[in-house]
Amino acid sequence: GVQTCALPISPPGGVWSAPALPALLACLALVALIQGAESMRLALAQRALNGAAIARLELGAQLLSMTVTLLLAWHTRTVWALLAGVLTHASARTVFSHLALPGPRVRPGWDGSAWQELRRFGGGVVVGSVAGLAASQGEKFLLGGLLSATDFGVFAIATLLAGAVTSLASSINGHVVFASLSEAAREGPDALRAVLLRVQRVADLLLGGFAGL
């Protein structure tokens, strides 16, 4: 669908006119399905601030993914090596979340009330997600149809480097700051206030430093 809509504005040799694009997108969609099978032990470890276990899991998944990517890139010299690395990382992370983390054993199950809740609130979430994706990634869709594959690759690398700090801050917020605040909130208002003040001091220092640069 994306390729069909973009073909009228995509030059020969452009990103959206690449013959392999539909198959790449279809395979990339498997990542969401694989991540959906992650164990709740991972969420519990993040909630408990078990940084050592999470770091070992992430490092193992990254090393395995990098090894697969490098080996396939050496032998095939195609973009499929990158896709294989992404799928390997998602699969390894899911498997490790079940085997390498402490916590209760989980198994698939059906919760009718959860399904009803998803039906009630899912529509708004989908609309918000689409709007957020369009706002944050819309320029990639347009430039993918206007630039050649080589020029778009340069743009993508530059965007990745420029957003490295933002991605790092987002990761710290999601895995450290929010978990710390949640733990402090369970202990009581005084603990929450103390943790919030420490987080605010660090945030002000970092943001002020970047603003000065």
Side-chain angles (χ1 to χ4, degrees):
V2 172
Q3 188 180 40
T4 302
C5 295
L7 275 177
I9 63 171
S10 183
V15 176
W16 302 128
S17 60
L21 181 62
L24 286 170
L25 292 178
C27 293
L28 191 60
L30 295 175
V31 174
L33 295 177
I34 296 172
Q35 290 176 336
E38 288 180 354
S39 173
M40 286 302 297
R41 294 181 180 182
L42 182 58
L44 293 175
Q46 293 172 347
R47 180 183 179 184
L49 299 179
N50 191 351
I54 295 174
R56 287 194 296 268
L57 181 149
E58 292 287 358
L59 183 60
Q62 290 285 0
L63 289 176
L64 188 58
S65 172
M66 183 176 63
T67 301
V68 171
T69 301
L70 291 176
L71 289 176
L72 288 180
W74 178 266
H75 288 289
T76 66
R77 309 297 174 93
T78 65
V79 70
W80 290 98
L82 299 177
L83 178 61
V86 172
L87 291 174
T88 299
H89 179 268
S91 301
R93 195 170 187 267
T94 298
V95 172
F96 292 162
S97 70
H98 286 274
L99 301 179
L101 293 177
R105 182 180 296 274
V106 296
R107 65 178 187 271
W110 178 260
D111 189 336
S113 61
W115 169 246
Q116 295 299 328
E117 186 175 354
L118 283 174
R119 291 183 59 186
R120 287 197 304 269
F121 298 102
V125 172
V126 170
V127 173
S129 299
V130 171
L133 179 64
S136 61
Q137 307 293 335
E139 78 282 358
K140 294 182 176 63
F141 178 80
L142 294 176
L143 293 177
L146 298 173
L147 300 177
S148 67
T150 301
D151 292 337
F152 184 80
V154 174
F155 167 78
I157 293 174
T159 303
L160 181 64
L161 294 177
V165 175
T166 303
S167 299
L168 177 61
S170 178
S171 179
I172 292 175
N173 278 334
H175 294 90
V176 179
V177 175
F178 292 153
S180 300
L181 292 175
S182 178
E183 180 69 21
R186 290 191 291 272
E187 294 179 2
D190 294 335
L192 177 60
R193 188 179 301 107
V195 172
L196 183 59
L197 287 176
R198 288 200 301 270
V199 170
Q200 189 64 53
R201 292 193 192 100
V202 175
D204 290 343
L205 180 62
L206 293 177
L207 293 176
F210 283 119
L213 295 176

